[in-house]
Amino acid sequence: MRDKNIYIESLHRNLPRLLSSFNMDASSPLAGVGDRLYWSWKIIDFPNGTFQSAVHGLAILTYLNKLPFGITQKSMLKKIDYIVWGIEKIISKNGSLDEALPNESSLCVSALVASDVLAAREILIKHLSKRQKTEWMMIIKPLIKFLMKQDEYHGLISNHLASASLAMYRWHKITKDKKAEMRGRMWLDRILQHQSSEGWFEEYGSADPGYQSWCITQLAQLHLLRPDLKLNKPLSRSLEFLTYAAHPDGSFGGNYGSRNTRFLLPGGLEIMKKNNKFASTLSKFAEIGVSEHKFVTLDSIDTGNLVPIFNDYAIAAYYNNKVKKETKPLRLPCQKKYFKTWFSKSGWLVESGKGFYTIINLKRGGAYVHFKNLKERYEDPGFVAKSDNGKLLTSFNSKALNIENLKLNGNKIEVNFKLSFTNYKYPTPIKFIILRILSLTAFKSLYVGNTIKKFLAGYLIKESKISNIEVERHFILGKNFKVKNKIHNQNKLKVLENNKNFSNMHMASQGYWQTSDDEN
C-alpha cells in the first residue's frame, strides 16, 4: 500500500543507498564515517564531511516511526549515534570539516553538520541518554568554535550563510551563548541586506531558483526557532519570486538561473504553507513534480548532494504530515493569462499568455525557456557557435549591451551580446598535484586558504575570455516565440542549434536528469 506522503515514499526509496554510505564496523577507526570513497574504496585521500549531516533526516524518520524494511527504532538510534561519533574521527585540527579538498576548512559543510546534529538532538531528545546529549554537544563544539572565526569570501552564497546562521542560533538555544547568537545574526543580516528588491536571495551574484529553495528551507527553520527575527516578510517575498520559476509542464528552474539548477526543495514550502499563500501554491506544485519527476528530485541526485536533499525531503515529510490546514493556494504565474513582467535586477523577462509561457534572462546571454500549448518546450542556454579553428564561443556569460535602453512594451526585443570563448576545465594529474601541495601547505592557514578559494571560484565559475565578436539576438515574443541571431565582426562562425544542454560554468549541482530531458 502506498504511503500518501510522497516524501516518505521518496525517503524510503533512497534510504538503502544512504545507509550503505556509512562504516558500521565498530572496531574500525573510521566507524560512523559516511564517505565510502574514503573509508571503503580508499581512492580519495580525505573524507567529505557532508555525509555526517544525515542524522537529521534519519532522526525525523525515527521520530515519525516511519522506518521501512523492518528497521527498528533501537537499531536506527544506534546508527545515528555512530554517525555523530564519526564526526570526531574526521574533524580537522582547527575544528572544521572538508568537502572538496584536504584541509579545505569548509564553512558550508561545518555549518551544515553542526546545524543538523543539533536538530537531530532536539528531535530525539527523549530517546537520548543524558550521556549522549552531553557527548553530542562536545563533538559539535569544535565546529561551533571554527564558525566563530571563519567566514566565506569566495562569493555571496546565501544558502551557505543561512546554514551557518541556523547552526549558531541552534547552539545558542541550548547553551545561551551570546557570541554564537551574534555570529548567527551577522550572517542573517548579510543575507537580508543582499536580498534583491525583486525577492530573490543572492547566489553568486544573481537569482538561482534551486538554491533559493534550499535557502528558504534553512531560513524557514530559523523562522520557527526564532519568530522574533521577523523573517516572515523576506521569506514571503522570496517565495513570491520563486513562483515565476514554476513551469506549465511541471518543471522548475533551469539555464536562466545563476547556478543552472533545476531542483525544487520542498522542506521550506511545507513549513511555510500554513500561513503563506505562495508556499502553499508551490507545495502543491512540488508534490506533483516529485511524484512524476517533472523536475530534479532526490531520486536523480548523486552522492555529493544526497544527504542535504534527503534531509530536506525529511523536513517536508514531517510538515506534510503535521500541517493539516494550509493557506488557500493561488494560481501560479504560468497559469495566468496576458502579463509581462521585467525583473531588471536579475535580468528575467517573464511573459504569460493564452497557451504559452516564456522566461528570458537578458543578463545571461539571452538564455530562455518557452512553453507552447503546455506540450511543446523550447530551451536555449544562450547563443553558441564554433569558429573555423574549432573554438566555441557563447553569449552565456554576457548581459545585453543595451539592457538599460530596452523597450519591453512590444512583441519584439533586439539585444546585443558580446561573445566569450568557452574553456572547459577538467581535472588533470598536474592540477591535482598542485592542489594537493596547496592542501598540505597553504590551506593550513585560513587566510591563505580563503584567498586560494576565492581565486578558484573566479577561475571555475566567473572567468571567461571576451572576444570582439557580438551577436544580435532578435526575440519575437508571444505564443509563436522565435529567436533570430545575427553575428557581427565575424563571418566564419557555425551556429550550433542543438545546444539545450550546453553549459559554460563549473557547477556540480547542474545537469541532473528530469523527465523533460527525454520529452519534446
Side-chain angles (χ1 to χ4, degrees):
M1 182 178 178
R2 280 171 55 91
D3 195 311
K4 291 182 180 179
N5 188 322
I6 61 165
Y7 301 116
I8 293 289
E9 292 181 354
S10 184
L11 292 165
H12 285 179
R13 283 196 303 272
N14 288 280
L15 184 61
R17 69 181 176 123
L18 177 63
L19 293 180
S20 294
S21 300
F22 293 96
N23 182 359
M24 288 299 156
D25 177 3
S27 65
S28 169
L30 294 176
V33 173
D35 190 343
R36 284 190 68 91
L37 293 180
Y38 180 66
W39 69 262
S40 182
W41 286 75
K42 300 179 180 68
I43 58 174
I44 60 174
D45 54 350
F46 73 100
N48 182 343
T50 311
F51 293 92
Q52 311 309 125
S53 275
V55 293
H56 191 176
L58 297 176
I60 290 175
L61 281 177
T62 304
Y63 175 83
L64 292 175
N65 198 23
K66 292 291 185 180
L67 296 170
F69 318 124
I71 301 172
T72 64
Q73 278 192 338
K74 182 178 179 181
S75 173
M76 185 57 76
L77 287 167
K78 185 176 180 180
K79 286 180 170 64
I80 291 171
D81 195 46
Y82 265 47
I83 295 168
V84 174
W85 275 99
I87 297 167
E88 193 175 56
K89 297 164 185 176
I90 62 173
I91 204 163
S92 300
K93 288 182 179 180
N94 65 10
S96 69
L97 294 169
D98 301 324
E99 180 184 20
L101 294 166
N103 297 316
E104 175 194 8
S105 299
S106 169
L107 178 127
C108 173
V109 173
S110 301
L112 204 64
V113 172
S115 176
D116 286 326
V117 172
L118 292 171
R121 183 183 183 276
E122 181 74 16
I123 293 164
L124 300 174
I125 198 77
K126 294 181 180 178
H127 295 278
L128 301 177
S129 67
K130 186 177 180 180
R131 176 185 59 80
Q132 285 176 309
K133 295 172 194 175
T134 302
E135 288 173 346
W136 285 23
M137 292 295 286
M138 293 303 294
I139 289 168
I140 293 304
K141 191 174 182 178
L143 295 173
I144 299 298
K145 284 187 174 182
F146 170 75
L147 294 173
M148 288 285 194
K149 60 187 177 184
Q150 175 64 313
D151 208 336
E152 195 159 66
Y153 302 97
H154 59 276
L156 203 156
I157 313 168
S158 292
N159 79 88
H160 289 187
L161 300 184
S163 296
S165 183
L166 182 58
M168 301 312 268
Y169 276 106
R170 279 178 167 156
W171 181 262
H172 170 261
K173 180 184 178 182
I174 300 169
T175 66
K176 308 305 178 189
D177 183 343
K178 284 289 183 181
K179 289 183 179 179
E181 183 184 36
M182 290 172 62
R183 193 74 168 164
R185 183 77 220 196
M186 178 193 76
W187 282 314
L188 178 61
D189 285 345
R190 194 183 302 169
I191 296 168
L192 298 180
Q193 286 165 8
H194 287 86
Q195 183 179 17
S196 169
S197 57
E198 295 169 354
W200 44 270
F201 296 117
E202 188 171 328
E203 293 285 334
Y204 282 113
S206 193
D208 183 80
Y211 274 105
Q212 184 168 327
S213 70
W214 200 332
C215 186
I216 285 172
T217 294
Q218 302 301 72
L219 293 182
Q221 291 177 86
L222 183 52
H223 177 55
L224 291 177
L225 183 68
R226 291 288 300 268
D228 60 298
L229 296 173
K230 298 180 180 180
L231 293 176
N232 192 60
K233 187 175 180 180
L235 277 167
S236 185
R237 288 168 54 213
S238 178
L239 287 159
E240 182 178 8
F241 181 82
L242 212 59
T243 60
Y244 287 91
H247 304 153
D249 69 344
S251 61
F252 182 83
N255 53 42
Y256 55 84
S258 64
R259 300 183 69 178
N260 283 15
T261 58
R262 304 190 298 177
F263 52 75
L264 172 60
L265 298 191
L269 310 180
E270 292 293 328
I271 291 172
M272 299 296 295
K273 71 179 184 182
K274 184 177 180 180
N275 300 306
N276 187 281
K277 56 191 177 182
F278 303 113
S280 179
T281 304
L282 285 169
S283 72
K284 297 295 183 186
F285 176 86
E287 284 194 65
I288 297 171
V290 168
S291 63
E292 299 179 7
H293 300 286
K294 292 293 187 180
F295 50 76
V296 172
T297 66
L298 179 60
D299 294 309
S300 298
I301 295 299
D302 59 11
T303 54
N305 278 328
L306 173 63
V307 171
I309 296 183
F310 184 94
N311 287 344
D312 194 281
Y313 274 47
I315 293 167
Y318 175 78
Y319 286 95
N320 190 272
N321 270 352
K322 184 179 180 181
V323 179
K324 302 299 180 184
K325 188 177 180 181
E326 60 188 272
T327 304
K328 186 177 179 181
L330 302 166
R331 283 195 303 163
L332 287 165
C334 67
Q335 296 167 334
K336 298 176 183 178
K337 296 177 181 177
Y338 310 116
F339 82 82
K340 186 189 292 183
T341 301
W342 167 235
F343 295 105
S344 61
K345 306 290 186 188
S346 61
W348 293 15
L349 176 66
V350 185
E351 184 180 32
S352 184
K354 187 175 181 180
F356 74 92
Y357 188 69
T358 309
I359 302 178
I360 309 170
N361 191 338
L362 296 175
K363 289 189 175 180
R364 189 76 184 243
Y368 68 80
V369 62
H370 172 74
F371 300 89
K372 181 179 178 181
N373 296 328
L374 302 182
K375 296 180 180 179
E376 297 178 41
R377 174 191 180 106
Y378 302 89
E379 196 169 5
D380 185 306
F383 177 83
V384 185
K386 182 180 287 190
S387 66
D388 55 357
N389 62 1
K391 291 185 177 181
L392 289 177
L393 292 100
T394 179
S395 66
F396 183 85
N397 300 302
S398 305
K399 75 173 184 178
L401 297 175
N402 52 335
I403 198 166
E404 308 299 335
N405 303 313
L406 285 180
K407 295 179 181 179
L408 303 169
N409 52 358
N411 66 343
K412 294 181 181 180
I413 303 174
E414 296 182 6
V415 283
N416 284 35
F417 298 94
K418 281 279 189 182
L419 297 185
S420 59
F421 290 97
T422 297
N423 183 16
Y424 287 108
K425 302 176 181 75
Y426 294 110
T428 65
I430 294 298
K431 289 178 183 177
F432 258 109
I433 290 170
I434 294 170
L435 277 174
R436 286 305 181 264
I437 291 172
L438 291 172
S439 296
L440 293 171
T441 55
F443 274 46
K444 291 185 177 181
S445 162
L446 284 181
Y447 174 79
V448 177
N450 289 333
T451 302
I452 294 171
K453 280 187 272 187
K454 189 175 180 179
F455 164 77
L456 288 173
Y459 173 70
L460 292 171
I461 297 172
K462 301 173 185 176
E463 184 186 89
S464 57
K465 184 180 178 182
I466 306 298
S467 73
N468 63 351
I469 305 171
E470 289 184 19
V471 61
E472 185 178 313
R473 307 200 81 186
H474 296 248
F475 293 92
I476 301 171
L477 306 178
K479 187 173 183 178
N480 297 314
F481 178 84
K482 289 182 181 179
V483 183
K484 297 179 180 179
N485 300 301
K486 183 179 179 181
I487 303 169
H488 294 262
N489 309 328
Q490 175 62 263
N491 297 318
K492 296 181 179 180
L493 290 182
K494 179 182 178 182
V495 179
L496 302 185
E497 302 290 350
N498 186 22
N499 66 347
K500 75 171 187 175
N501 295 315
F502 173 83
S503 174
N504 187 35
M505 71 181 300
H506 168 80
M507 190 54 59
S509 300
Q510 67 181 342
Y512 294 121
W513 179 88
Q514 62 186 32
T515 52
S516 64
D517 291 343
D518 293 292
E519 293 176 349
N520 193 17

